[in-house]
Each structure stands twice: as structure tokens, then as C-alpha cells.
Amino acid sequence: MIVVESGGTKSTWVFHDISGQQKSITTVGLHPQELSNSKLKVISDLIEVEQLQGSSVYFFGAGCESNEAKNKVIRFLEKFSLLVQQVETDIYAACVAHLGDTEGVIGILGTGAVAAHFDGHKIVQQTSGLGYMLGDEGSGFDIGKRLLQSYFRKELPFLIVQEIDAYFEHKPVLHRIYESDGRMFVAGLTKIAHKFRSEIVIQKILNRSFIDFCTTALQPLNLKFKVHMIGSVSYYFEKELDKAFLEAGFQLGNIEKEAVFKVFSYLSNKNSA
């Protein structure tokens, strides 16, 4: 059995190797709208090296809301002789990881952003998740975008400007961010935000971003559960996220960087029962 959790930037594969030991490998993101030939080659190599042909696979990924998107992922995975058992959204995996079969509220803050109300069996309401062009407040892309806005408005201290220039290899920033992989490149700026998170200007950027997540993703749910979170942004900015949640009237629950390991355990136990 293989469990895959895929965000906009990377995917994590968890499985038992040929010796029976649990193993995890991180590779390229497998968003259904971005399944390129180069990614096909990367995954093909993974399947061959780890001898995973014929394995049952459970896939949980960003962008897998529609049947069309799910079918794209299924066709992609079946090219590697994998037996696709389930394709669901990454938010569904987050719900299972934190809640199992109980009711609650889950949020994801990674490259993108989404929140959902889970009734213990299915997602009954999902908010945000409009993608980086229309939403994703609080996400890595959103933080990177806000950081770049401050960069161009000359609102950043010199050291942060230097760091951003080095990140872009002292090449024109606007040209780089509008290339095909620009979304992931903008989201990568969260590493600079994290490095300088004690700076007031960065604190303000993070606070506005997370408050907006509360407004767009959590308020429409109109529920009083603790909000459990998944994703690298929520994991690395826990202190700043907790502060914003309190300001907005929400209570932060548990945080996991990834859902895949708990989902793997959950499905292993369920399948062996």
C-alpha cells in the first residue's frame, strides 16, 4: 500500500519497502493541472527504484476537488501499473489525520490555503481554496506575494532586500515570477519571511495574511471547534498563526507539517481490521 499526499510544491510517498520497513520519499508536486512529462519521468524512476509496480495507492492532493481532476490523477498513476484505490483532496487527508472519524474543523496552510468542516465521514463544507489568483490567503504564495509587494514599495530593511535579490540571483524579479513555475518560486519566499520573522515589517505581513485566512476561510464555517492545521506554513509559523487566531476569535488546535503519516497509519489499521 502507498499513501501519497501532494501539495502544490511537493508530494510525499509513504509505503513499506521490499524489506517491510515503512519508508517515505518526497518528490515533485502532482497537482492535476501540472502533470508534465518531466514529472512523469521523476515518478517513473521512483516506482522502478522502489519496485512499487502493482501496489495499491491512495492519493490525496491539492486541486482534486472535481471528477475531472481526479480522473487526470488516476490516469497518471495508472501509467506506472499502480492500482488506484482512492483519489481525494488534500483537505480530506488533513481531516482524517487530525480527526479520524470525529467531527471538527481543519485548515491547510502550505503553498495554497483551504479550510473545511468534517462530520466524521465526509467534508460537509469547504471554504477558501480559490487558488492563488483569487484567494489562498495565509498560504505560502500569499505571504510571498505580500513580501514582494513590500519589496517593490521599498518598505523592507536593506538586509531583507539583499536576501530577496540573492534569492532571485540578482535577475529581474518580475520576469522570474511570471514564468511557468513562478507560483512555487513566490511561495518559496516564505523561507525569507521565516528567517526575518522577528522584524516588525515581516510580523505585519504575516499577521495580515493569517487574519485574512481567518476572514475568508474560517468565518464562513461559523463553527466553534478548535481549528487543527496541516502544512508547512502553519507548522513553521505556529506562534504568528496562534496570535492571529486569537485576534480573530479562533482557537488553534494541533498542527502537523504533513498529514500523510497519520493517514498511512489510519488506512493500515483500517485495512487490517
Side-chain angles (χ1 to χ4, degrees):
M1 183 185 74
I2 307 167
V3 176
V4 183
E5 180 187 12
S6 179
T9 305
K10 65 181 178 67
S11 62
T12 302
W13 296 59
V14 178
F15 52 91
H16 288 125
D17 62 20
I18 56 175
S19 68
Q21 297 298 309
Q22 183 174 314
K23 189 171 184 178
S24 67
I25 292 179
T26 299
T27 185
V28 291
L30 298 175
H31 192 287
Q33 303 304 324
E34 300 170 352
L35 298 175
S36 62
N37 287 332
S38 62
K39 292 184 178 183
L40 187 77
K41 177 65 166 60
V42 171
I43 302 305
S44 178
D45 290 345
L46 167 66
I47 300 300
E48 183 176 349
V49 169
E50 298 297 335
Q51 301 179 42
L52 296 175
Q53 300 89 341
S55 299
S56 296
V57 60
Y58 297 79
F59 184 95
F60 304 91
C64 291
E65 288 80 12
S66 69
N67 287 331
E68 179 185 3
K70 291 177 181 178
N71 287 331
K72 284 183 179 180
V73 172
I74 291 171
R75 290 195 296 269
F76 181 84
L77 294 173
E78 286 180 342
K79 292 178 181 178
F80 312 110
S81 299
L82 296 174
L83 306 176
V84 183
Q85 303 298 316
Q86 185 177 22
V87 175
E88 286 290 348
T89 62
D90 54 347
I91 189 68
Y92 182 87
C95 292
V96 170
H98 274 303
L99 300 171
D101 56 2
T102 60
E103 185 181 12
V105 172
I106 295 295
I108 294 179
L109 287 179
T111 303
V114 65
H117 172 206
F118 186 66
D119 69 358
H121 303 283
K122 64 183 182 300
I123 293 170
V124 293
Q125 185 180 0
Q126 182 171 316
T127 55
S128 189
L130 294 175
Y132 68 102
M133 289 186 68
L134 300 178
D136 280 357
E137 293 85 356
S139 69
F141 178 86
D142 184 57
I143 292 169
K145 180 182 71 174
R146 292 172 194 252
L147 184 60
L148 283 179
Q149 288 171 338
S150 292
Y151 170 87
F152 285 113
R153 293 168 184 161
K154 301 188 185 304
E155 298 170 348
L156 300 175
F158 180 67
L159 282 177
I160 300 179
V161 171
Q162 280 188 313
E163 197 84 13
I164 293 174
D165 286 339
Y167 178 76
F168 285 98
E169 299 178 336
H170 301 281
K171 296 177 181 178
V173 174
L174 287 177
H175 290 174
R176 185 66 186 85
I177 65 176
Y178 285 111
E179 292 180 4
S180 59
D181 62 346
R183 179 170 65 93
M184 278 72 80
F185 215 76
V186 172
L189 287 164
T190 52
K191 294 177 181 178
I192 295 176
H194 187 266
K195 181 177 180 179
F196 293 97
R197 65 191 183 280
S198 61
E199 295 284 342
I200 291 177
V201 65
I202 300 298
Q203 290 177 9
K204 288 181 178 179
I205 287 172
L206 294 171
N207 188 256
R208 286 196 300 266
S209 183
F210 294 148
I211 288 288
D212 285 349
F213 172 75
C214 293
T215 301
T216 59
L218 299 183
Q219 285 184 5
L221 294 175
N222 196 29
L223 296 166
K224 295 302 180 183
F225 293 98
K226 285 185 178 180
V227 182
H228 303 293
M229 299 296 298
I230 292 283
S232 56
V233 171
S234 49
Y235 182 82
Y236 287 112
F237 293 103
E238 179 178 357
K239 180 180 177 181
E240 293 80 6
L241 187 63
D242 186 47
K243 180 176 181 291
F245 270 38
L246 289 174
E247 288 181 25
F250 294 94
Q251 188 174 359
L252 182 62
N254 298 323
I255 296 177
E256 295 286 343
K257 187 178 179 182
E258 297 175 286
V260 64
F261 298 101
K262 285 193 171 183
V263 173
F264 185 83
S265 296
Y266 176 85
L267 290 174
S268 295
N269 292 333
K270 184 177 179 181
N271 289 339
S272 63

